[in-house]
Amino acid sequence: MVQRYVMSIDQGTTSTRCILFDARGRLVSVAQREHQQHFPRPGWVEHDAVEIWKNLGRIVPRALAEAGVSAEQVAGLGIANQRETTVLWDRHTGTPVGRAIVWQDTRTDRMLEHLEREPAARRVRRLCGLPLATYFSAPRIRWLLERTPGLRERAERGDVLFGTMESWLIWNLTGGPEGGVHVTDVTNASRTMLMNIRTLRWDDELLEFFDVPRAMLPEIRSSTEVYGTTSRVVPGIRIAAALGDQQAALFGQTCFAPGEAKCTYGTGSFLLLNTGATPVLSTHGMLTTVGFKIGDEPAVYALEGSIAVTGSLVQWFRDGLELIGSAPEIETLARTVEDNGGCYIVPAFSGLFAPHWHSEARGVIAGLTSYITKGHLARAVLEATGWQTREVVDAMNADSGLALSTLRVDGGMTADNLLMQCVADVLDVPVVRPMVAETVSLGAAYAAGLSVGYWPDLEGLRRNWHRAGQWLPAMDPARRDTEYAQWRHAVELTFGWMRPAGTPRQPGSELTEVLLGDHRELERLCRELRDQDADRETLRAELSALLVAHATAVERVVRPSGQDGGFGAELLAVLEADPLEGAGFDEALIGLEAVVDAHIRGEERGLLNELRRTLSLSDRTALGRAFTGERRRQLDLGCGTLAHVRENAARLRL
Ligand SMILES: Nc1ncnc2c1ncn2[C@@H]1O[C@H](COP(=O)(O)OP(=O)(O)O)[C@@H](O)[C@H]1O
Ligand SMILES: O=P(O)(O)OC[C@H](O)CO
């Protein structure tokens, strides 16, 4: 009988890999090519989508040749890819519109500052599960459409297409300008900010908010189904699955059941927790994302803690500072010293992602003394990955109400024993690594194999998972606590770097204007909530979010807490009122309106006048910017949700 295999392509941030797997999930052959990283300006990161496509054209035949396998022996192809990276290309010629803008790129930060002031910004997270951040695709599409002459018209006519890397590759593999299939899968679509996280369709409100024409978007499909057959590179292979690489790793680690989690340590690191059939909105800075969707079955959701810079900090140590010659040398160098010598590196190169979401943060090396050697710096590099994981796990535990008991890991950095021990130490849980370290590729292969019936079911795949390595926590708890406190201090030093006081005043950022704007918005929301025919569910959520975000930002940025009175109880009564009509709801609403009115009156008569009297315009503008930043952070954290208000009701003051 002819042997059959499954092929996977992992289109990653630094390289593209093609791997063939056999029926027992064993790796049969690998071919890989790196592509160039372009850094044309500070904060900008680009890839050449044509270079990546050409690399694919080389590695696929090579992987087949190495194993002596023909296209007919490939049961199906699964694609996993770097997510959010944005490619726009001409449908008729297949030529990309400039270089692809990579997920680490921060060029859209200014644009997002403006967008977040729009009233509709408050609804974005609830619709797509993601905070407004430079990380995702939609702001990049808008940026390109605004800055490239004539592009919007071409996009509206459907002459220019958008895709993340899997869309670009599938379109090219299935014929490109000659009938290429323009599709994406739900996991990748869930990272654009344009897909409704519940309906799993492009959302009109989000399209309008980001001003993206529907005609340029791919069709959203499930993660496992046959999208088409290759007609280029190696013709005749069924393309049977696509997933974002982190979701592919979740699949490859067989985290099929709610409560199962993995962390992939590559260029960045990404911890995903399977949360089952309903999307969970985080109140602690996690992302809500689609984990996978098998054919017609309901989607499985995940909470994700994304860390932008981990392996790329090692790369910077190698290529930017030239302190080591290869990535594995970081471990050797770090072992030349006992500890970090008091030094901490917070690699906020692209701002800070989860759980902070500070786009304006930039990196620091803290605790430098003349005692510090490159060995200490190497330790600090590795520990940065450990502590960033700890912050994400703390947030994940707080969201799920459960304590993570083991962490499954994979990715290039897991080759580093010192790092893996550090992760176990700072998390205080065992860390385990499976036999097949190429979990992203394996996940894409599993998905494709399931799709074409090569593997019958998920249980069979589970049996392929075997433990290859384990690290047990061995750190003194008191030392762990002290080190964590030092780390958090270093993190705080990175905040606000890109918005120093004294930068030119931007319209609408003066503090009293911002506070007044919030007051009018709060009044409008209260007024509209009284209308029985209004969408009370939505208005209630908006009112709660703005109220808590506004009050918390006032407390943290403008004046310290300790004022008399509070609104926690009144807000809780409104949030708990069910149904949203009748005497119970009216009474609760009247109660809340009374405290909101009192707050507005008090603040406008007292605080605002005092601020105008005692602070200069530039100070008020700097404070206004800090206030908007904190308010946005609160909104991103889901501060208005019932769970958050319940948890904080006693603390909430006006
Ligand atoms: N022994 C090591 N110690 C620490 N970091 C390493 C080691 N080996 C590789 N890395 C880092 O891991 C990353 C590569 O992992 P990989 O999973 O291939 O990444 P990606 O899929 O994001 O391209 C690189 O950023 C590299 O610096
Ligand atoms: O290519 P990787 O492995 O660095 O993963 C990138 C992520 O998908 C970005 O969200």
Side-chain angles (χ1 to χ4, degrees), residues 246-505:
Q246 301 311 320
Q247 283 86 346
L250 189 73
F251 212 77
Q253 288 269 24
T254 66
C255 296
F256 300 138
E260 293 179 331
K262 69 87 203 177
C263 189
T264 301
Y265 290 94
T267 311
S269 293
F270 303 87
L271 198 149
L272 269 75
L273 169 76
N274 180 324
T275 59
T278 31
V280 175
L281 271 195
S282 168
T283 50
H284 298 88
M286 300 291 102
L287 308 178
T288 308
T289 201
V290 179
F292 50 87
K293 179 171 173 1
I294 300 177
D296 296 334
E297 293 175 24
V300 170
Y301 290 90
L303 274 176
E304 171 174 325
S306 329
I307 308 170
V309 176
T310 53
S312 53
L313 182 61
V314 177
Q315 281 169 27
W316 174 75
F317 209 67
R318 184 193 63 189
D319 305 335
L321 300 188
E322 299 181 13
L323 290 171
I324 48 174
S326 68
E329 281 174 40
I330 191 101
E331 181 172 0
T332 322
L333 184 56
R335 284 190 190 276
T336 60
V337 291
E338 285 290 297
D339 55 29
N340 62 20
C343 181
Y344 301 83
I345 303 182
V346 186
F349 296 174
S350 308
L352 281 174
F353 285 12
H356 307 287
W357 300 108
H358 273 268
S359 296
E360 86 301 342
R362 287 298 177 269
V364 298
I365 302 181
L368 280 180
T369 58
S370 46
Y371 171 74
I372 297 298
T373 63
K374 57 184 177 179
H376 297 113
L377 290 177
R379 276 224 173 228
V381 163
L382 295 180
E383 288 176 5
T385 293
W387 291 120
Q388 291 189 101
T389 310
R390 167 73 191 262
E391 290 183 318
V392 162
V393 167
D394 282 359
M396 195 77 92
N397 287 345
D399 266 337
S400 67
L402 302 167
L404 185 83
S405 57
T406 329
L407 184 65
R408 292 183 172 201
V409 297
D410 54 80
M413 289 187 99
T414 61
D416 193 309
N417 280 299
L418 187 61
L419 172 62
M420 290 301 103
Q421 184 58 50
C422 168
V423 173
D425 283 344
V426 303
L427 296 184
D428 199 19
V429 300
V431 167
V432 293
R433 191 181 60 199
M435 204 80 92
V436 179
E438 302 286 355
T439 318
V440 170
S441 299
L442 185 64
Y446 278 171
L450 271 183
S451 170
V452 295
Y454 183 78
W455 283 298
D457 55 26
L458 298 179
E459 272 320 301
L461 298 178
R462 265 189 201 284
R463 286 193 289 276
N464 285 343
W465 196 96
H466 300 289
R467 191 174 80 193
Q470 171 165 263
W471 295 266
L472 300 174
M475 194 180 202
D476 168 53
R479 191 167 146 241
R480 181 186 303 122
D481 292 347
T482 319
E483 288 290 312
Y484 194 22
Q486 292 285 81
W487 165 262
R488 280 191 305 226
H489 185 194
V491 168
E492 277 166 21
L493 300 177
T494 70
F495 294 167
W497 183 256
M498 295 305 282
R499 295 186 221 173
T503 46
R505 174 175 186 260

Side-chain angles (χ1 to χ4, degrees), residues 206-217:
L206 292 169
L207 293 184
E208 191 185 327
F209 183 76
F210 289 106
D211 208 4
V212 170
R214 190 180 271 271
M216 71 191 300
L217 300 179

Side-chain angles (χ1 to χ4, degrees), residues 12-13 81-84 103 135 245-246 267-268 270:
T13 310
N81 57 288
Q82 55 167 322
R83 307 164 302 168
E84 301 98 13
W103 58 275
Y135 180 23
D245 55 8
Q246 301 311 320
T267 311
F270 303 87

Side-chain angles (χ1 to χ4, degrees), residues 144 159 168 172 198 253 290 299 301 308 337 375 424 458 470 510 524 543 587 654:
L144 284 164
D159 291 339
W168 164 247
N172 275 294
R198 290 175 184 80
Q253 288 269 24
V290 179
Y301 290 90
V337 291
L458 298 179
Q470 171 165 263
E510 191 270 329
R524 179 188 73 80
L543 175 64
E587 208 175 294
L654 282 171

Side-chain angles (χ1 to χ4, degrees), residues 74-75 102 112 126 230 521:
V74 178
V102 178
L112 286 170
R126 290 206 312 129
T230 58
E521 185 62 9

